[in-house]
Amino acid sequence: MFNDLIFSIPKSDHSEKCIRKTLTEHPEIKFVSLIGIDFSGNDTDEKIPIRIFLDDIDGFLKGAIQTDGSSVVLPGIATLNNAKVDMIPDTDVNWFIDYNYENIDFETKKPIGTLRIPCFLIHDSKAIDSRHILKSSIEHIEKNLMKYFNDYPHLLEPYGITVDDIEDVYATAATELEFWVKTPEERAHIEELSTSQVLQEQYWTRTKGSVRTALEEVLDLMDKYGLESEMGHKEVGGVKATLSESGNLTHIMEQLEIDWKYADALQAADNELYVRILVRETFRRHGLDVNFLAKPINGVAGSGEHTHLSFSLKLKNGKRINLFAATGKTFLSIFGYASVMGILKNYEVINPFISCTNDSLRRLKPGFEAPVCIVTSVGHSVDVPSRNRTILLGVIRDLTAPLATRFELRSPNPHTNTYLALATMFMACNDGIAYAITNNKTEDELFAELSKQAGEKADYLEKDRAYRSEEDVFEDYTEEERNRLFGVAPNTVYENLLSFDKHPEKLEVLKSGEVFTDKIINSFRSGVEKRWITEIIARIIPNHIRTIRSYKMLHDVEKAYDVDITRWKKINELRYYLMKDSYSSKSLFSKIHDAVDAGDLASISDLQVEMDNKMQELRKLYIDYKTNLLDI
């Protein structure tokens, strides 16, 4: 079935003639959908009959379609009294065909397809969507790099070229997708998952049954879409499935990872969005649920989406040069060192775009290789590339393949808005590069500044901070040392957003070239705050209530030991403290509701931290209580 389908229309074939020819030859493509990305990373997906598109392709591509912007996350921009948003198709990226394998066309005997066209969202004649912000950040840094090459021609001498040899500057990116897959309506015990992880029973082990079939099908489909899959494997989390009497595997609970080839940054973000769709739909066809949450299960490794980026030159002779790769006996080039420094220095205002949900911050805790410290690692020596997995920003080097030199930001998760994440990183790189070049810094000078000790004055990086460590930041530093050297990680979404207020000078870095504006940042912030509070009230607290109600007394009072009675008493007191009101006092949950009604964001944040700690304590107490009972 797959071999009779067309899976994408490359950007080279976006002329009206080529589009019409392709769609006419594939009548199974029945619909077209314009894909705009709001500030939360949500993508639009409407179904427009393909005949409307074919009737006026040129008009459609110039923006014939409009949508209600108040229905997506663009608060303060697309409002109820000014909600009209134009959708302008992007003809400079590949378009994908999304097939519904459960709806077979009667005439062609093929699954019905929808042509997905990425677009820009235009409001009051201005682009206001995540895709356009990323595109603007790329254009901004590419323009600045070309200006530096013209103004500082010695920068190109190590490469043996002049500015006239350059055809273009490219910002490239790639992501890795981790996710949990399970049998619907079935759950594994947290203790079982945690034990399996500690024993490393799942990492890179063999996939079986429907999981193996779905994974292989996804990798095959990715190649057909031109995404060039590189690997699919089990990750650290999961438990062994159970074989039913019918011979099928049940009680599946596994964590998987899929990797694919890098691309130009905007295309890479589009690719990642479609891979998620492929994964979810393919596994669902095989009777499996897929979960993209950053931390679906407390006490077990979460799912990350490590994001890679680099810059390269394309020369007129077809050759490519990686701007991060060293040209001599150093770890990185001037551009590489400067970009690392830019991201680390400005990370406080990048982080709100990376980790903007309750779920994302639950993952970013010490342990499980979660990156919580603003620090990098470049390697103990130039000849030995670093692979320190405890740091935030990794430098990936392959001594035999300089073109592969890149950075890996380890904090994003599958629900991070990749478009905004990359845009903020590119803007921070731009800031670091501007500092290095305009101050005539050498590789050795930048390396020395990056490697400075806390308290040592520097021209760009902050005096009281350290930014590089080749050690395990969790094992070799105390919590107090981590906080002092690398900064205090936010506990809540609110604390993360406060960085916009605490570091206005760093916020200006994002606003360079009007890539981010006050209006965009305020809209993003408003949407994140609303989602943060709504999740606490409508999801987190109700889930906690169900958990608390499920924690019942299990011991027989006549057979119980004092330790059982004491443990239950403590559990019950904690249950009452969390959710039971009295005439004289309110529960913790009620205090949170009151803080929400009062609009007291600081109190909501403080109470959320207390709630999370109390729930973690309650879960542990109940596990210990159950473990000591013989008859339950």
Side-chain angles (χ1 to χ4, degrees):
M1 179 188 295
F2 292 162
N3 292 330
D4 296 328
L5 304 175
I6 179 174
F7 293 91
S8 64
I9 301 179
K11 59 183 179 181
S12 57
D13 292 343
H14 288 175
S15 68
E16 180 173 353
K17 179 180 178 181
C18 289
I19 294 169
R20 188 176 298 279
K21 180 177 184 294
T22 297
L23 295 178
T24 302
E25 292 175 350
H26 291 273
E28 71 275 8
I29 302 174
K30 300 288 187 182
F31 303 99
V32 63
S33 176
L34 291 179
I35 313 303
I37 313 295
D38 67 15
F39 292 157
S40 284
N42 303 317
D43 56 307
T44 59
D45 185 21
E46 63 291 323
K47 295 287 184 181
I48 302 170
I50 203 73
R51 56 177 168 75
I52 295 177
F53 180 62
L54 289 173
D55 282 346
D56 184 13
I57 294 176
D58 185 62
F60 197 98
L61 296 181
K62 291 180 179 178
I65 302 301
Q66 298 173 350
T67 188
D68 178 6
S70 64
S71 299
V72 293
V73 183
L74 300 167
I77 295 179
T79 56
L80 286 174
N81 63 341
N82 187 14
K84 182 176 72 68
V85 171
D86 294 318
M87 308 177 80
I88 309 296
D90 186 352
T91 58
D92 290 329
V93 294
N94 299 332
W95 300 345
F96 297 133
I97 315 298
D98 180 26
Y99 287 103
N100 182 357
Y101 297 97
E102 298 171 19
N103 187 10
I104 305 302
D105 180 45
F106 179 77
E107 295 180 355
T108 65
K109 310 301 181 185
K110 298 178 182 179
I112 287 178
T114 297
L115 173 60
R116 287 174 57 92
I117 303 179
C119 73
F120 302 114
L121 304 179
I122 310 296
H123 181 263
D124 284 347
S125 302
K126 293 183 180 179
I128 42 84
D129 62 284
S130 296
R131 292 188 78 258
H132 190 270
I133 292 172
L134 174 54
K135 181 179 180 180
S136 296
S137 72
I138 296 168
E139 291 174 345
H140 182 66
I141 193 168
E142 289 176 348
K143 179 187 71 174
N144 286 344
L145 283 171
M146 286 302 298
K147 181 179 185 301
Y148 292 139
F149 294 144
N150 277 292
D151 295 346
Y152 303 88
H154 68 275
L155 293 170
L156 296 174
E157 290 176 3
Y159 306 106
I161 61 172
T162 68
V163 70
D164 293 333
D165 297 317
I166 301 173
E167 179 178 305
D168 212 342
V169 181
Y170 281 98
T172 59
T175 57
E176 307 165 2
L177 184 62
E178 294 177 2
F179 56 94
W180 282 84
V181 57
K182 72 182 188 73
T183 313
E185 306 302 324
E186 292 180 351
R187 298 176 60 188
H189 292 294
I190 294 176
E191 308 96 288
E192 189 179 358
L193 287 164
S194 181
T195 300
S196 177
Q197 177 173 304
V198 171
L199 294 176
Q200 297 180 314
E201 293 177 331
Q202 295 295 310
Y203 193 55
W204 280 36
T205 59
R206 183 172 178 267
T207 53
K208 302 175 184 177
S210 55
V211 174
R212 173 181 176 176
T213 303
L215 179 60
E216 290 173 349
E217 189 171 309
V218 165
L219 296 174
D220 184 39
L221 280 170
M222 288 172 64
D223 281 348
K224 293 185 182 301
Y225 279 101
L227 301 176
E228 297 186 64
S229 60
E230 293 185 339
M231 185 184 298
H233 63 85
K234 283 192 181 184
E235 257 295 320
V236 295
V239 293
K240 294 180 179 179
T242 303
L243 193 64
S244 69
E245 294 181 357
S246 63
N248 295 321
L249 291 173
T250 62
H251 294 83
I252 295 169
M253 190 67 168
E254 301 179 17
Q255 189 184 34
L256 305 179
E257 177 180 321
I258 290 176
D259 308 326
W260 59 96
K261 193 177 183 201
Y262 69 90
D264 295 346
L266 187 57
Q267 184 66 64
D270 286 345
N271 292 350
E272 184 262 320
L273 179 68
Y274 197 67
V275 169
R276 282 193 295 169
I277 294 173
L278 277 181
V279 167
R280 190 184 294 278
E281 291 298 313
T282 302
F283 277 82
R284 187 181 61 81
R285 285 200 301 274
H286 292 277
L288 297 166
D289 283 343
V290 168
N291 187 314
F292 289 124
L293 290 175
K295 192 72 171 179
I297 307 164
N298 286 311
V300 181
S303 295
E305 187 174 85
H306 303 163
T307 300
H308 302 244
L309 79 158
S310 65
F311 298 114
S312 64
L313 299 179
K314 182 181 179 182
L315 305 185
K316 293 175 182 177
N317 63 10
K319 182 181 177 182
R320 279 205 182 233
I321 295 174
N322 187 314
L323 283 178
F324 286 174
T327 56
K329 199 65 174 177
T330 60
F331 290 98
L332 294 166
S333 68
I334 290 174
F335 305 98
Y337 283 126
S339 295
V340 168
M341 292 165 63
I343 292 174
L344 294 177
K345 179 182 178 179
N346 296 292
Y347 191 72
E348 286 89 352
V349 295
I350 295 174
N351 197 16
F353 293 94
I354 303 291
S355 305
C356 56
T357 63
N358 293 293
D359 175 57
S360 62
L361 289 174
R362 278 195 295 270
R363 170 177 167 259
L364 301 182
K365 304 290 182 185
F368 305 123
E369 299 174 341
V372 298
C373 301
I374 303 176
V375 61
T376 190
S377 165
V378 296
H380 290 285
S381 71
V382 174
D383 297 326
V384 182
S386 168
R387 205 61 187 102
N388 187 340
R389 295 175 61 83
T390 67
I391 44 82
L392 172 73
L393 187 66
V395 175
I396 311 299
R397 299 166 58 233
D398 184 340
L399 300 181
T400 64
L403 279 175
T405 303
R406 63 195 184 277
F407 302 150
E408 174 192 56
L409 188 69
R410 297 178 53 78
S411 53
N413 67 85
H415 281 304
T416 293
N417 183 336
T418 301
Y419 298 92
L420 295 185
L422 285 171
T424 58
M425 292 167 70
F426 287 142
M427 296 305 291
C429 290
N430 180 73
D431 186 61
I433 290 171
Y435 156 73
I437 293 177
T438 58
N439 289 278
N440 296 311
K441 295 291 182 178
T442 65
E443 287 95 338
D444 290 342
E445 289 171 333
L446 293 172
F447 175 67
E449 184 168 354
L450 179 62
S451 306
K452 79 178 195 66
Q453 300 297 311
E456 184 180 344
K457 187 177 179 181
D459 293 335
Y460 181 69
L461 298 177
E462 295 172 21
K463 175 182 176 182
D464 295 329
R465 296 277 290 276
Y467 293 91
R468 175 192 171 206
S469 175
E470 304 303 329
E471 311 302 324
D472 185 319
V473 297
F474 299 122
E475 296 294 331
D476 299 323
Y477 298 93
T478 65
E479 182 179 0
E480 185 278 330
E481 287 173 331
R482 288 196 299 268
N483 292 341
R484 176 173 56 84
L485 295 173
F486 311 123
V488 179
N491 288 302
T492 67
V493 171
Y494 173 74
E495 288 183 11
N496 208 4
L497 290 172
L498 281 182
S499 293
F500 289 158
D501 304 323
K502 293 178 179 178
H503 304 282
E505 76 288 352
K506 297 182 181 182
L507 205 57
E508 290 300 315
V509 170
L510 303 186
K511 292 191 281 185
S512 174
E514 296 189 337
V515 173
F516 287 85
T517 63
D518 287 328
K519 196 169 188 178
I520 288 172
I521 293 169
N522 291 337
S523 178
F524 171 82
R525 182 174 189 165
S526 177
V528 169
E529 286 178 351
K530 180 179 179 180
R531 183 172 57 189
W532 167 57
I533 294 171
T534 302
E535 284 181 345
I536 292 174
I537 296 301
R539 289 183 178 172
I540 294 176
I541 290 179
N543 287 340
H544 287 342
I545 288 174
R546 283 191 288 271
T547 297
I548 291 169
R549 286 175 175 163
S550 71
Y551 289 174
K552 301 182 183 299
M553 187 178 76
L554 300 174
H555 63 271
D556 185 329
V557 293
E558 296 182 359
K559 299 179 180 180
Y561 285 8
D562 289 346
V563 67
D564 301 321
I565 297 171
T566 301
R567 285 176 175 174
W568 173 249
K569 181 181 178 182
K570 191 171 183 179
I571 290 168
N572 211 31
E573 288 173 350
L574 200 47
R575 292 170 75 231
Y576 273 68
Y577 178 78
L578 283 161
M579 68 169 285
K580 187 70 173 176
D581 289 342
S582 69
Y583 284 119
S584 60
S585 64
K586 287 192 174 184
S587 69
L588 183 57
F589 292 165
S590 292
K591 291 178 182 178
I592 293 175
H593 277 277
D594 289 346
V596 170
D597 291 340
D600 187 349
L601 302 186
S603 292
I604 297 170
S605 177
D606 291 341
L607 291 168
Q608 182 185 12
V609 172
E610 183 183 2
M611 175 180 67
D612 290 346
N613 291 336
K614 294 294 186 184
M615 285 301 301
Q616 183 176 354
E617 179 185 358
L618 180 63
R619 292 187 188 98
K620 185 180 186 307
L621 286 171
Y622 198 67
I623 289 172
D624 292 342
Y625 166 67
K626 285 177 60 178
T627 302
N628 199 52
L629 299 178
L630 292 174
D631 302 313
I632 55 174

